[in-house]
Amino acid sequence: MDTSLDGILRSLRQLEQSSAVDEFVDGSLDVLWGMVPCVSLGFNELDEREQRVLLYRSREPGWEEMPDELFWSHAEEFPICSGLAPGSPGVMRSQDVISTRALRDSRLYAEILHPFGIEYEMKIAFASQPWVSRASCSLGMIARSPIGSSSSLGSLPRTSRRCTGVYEGLPSSPPASSR
């Protein structure tokens, strides 16, 4: 993918042509995969109130096999989830809400992140109902240092707002899906 601003805008225009949730999810993963240096990328829609996974897709097959019970037992510990309230749009990096030392001392790091080789995370959240978290999450950043700001990362807040508008305009809600 062309990660120049023009290339990103072209990809977003293509994403705006999505006519179904599945098409949007796959397209947004493709766009973000090209923008964000990572080894894993997923899209989720979570009902936080009912603790249900409404939709989940990943570029990393092992994540789809994680049992719901394991995910929800750690859900409140994910720094990128606690940094943005459910339903809020925006971009959140793990280092925005927790120090590297505190993360590495956590149960989440020992039981989930470290076994998967994840040192840093980033969440690109789309607006939704206040009890729903809808986001593309970049996991397992390639760099072993905090996530910086490259030219493509600087455009993520606008990408989040634009994707929110596209997703909200799609017919029907996502199909129920297990991880």
Side-chain angles (χ1 to χ4, degrees), residues 25 28-29 32-33 38 40-45 55-60 63-64 122-124 135-139:
V25 169
S28 68
L29 287 174
L32 293 170
W33 187 258
C38 62
S40 181
L41 180 67
F43 183 98
N44 64 54
E45 184 159 320
L55 175 68
Y56 186 79
R57 293 273 175 68
S58 176
R59 289 274 190 159
E60 183 71 29
W63 281 94
E64 291 181 13
M122 183 167 54
K123 175 180 182 176
I124 300 106
S136 287
C137 299
S138 304
L139 307 169

Side-chain angles (χ1 to χ4, degrees), residues 75-87:
E76 292 183 10
E77 299 172 48
F78 280 93
I80 58 173
C81 295
S82 63
L84 282 173

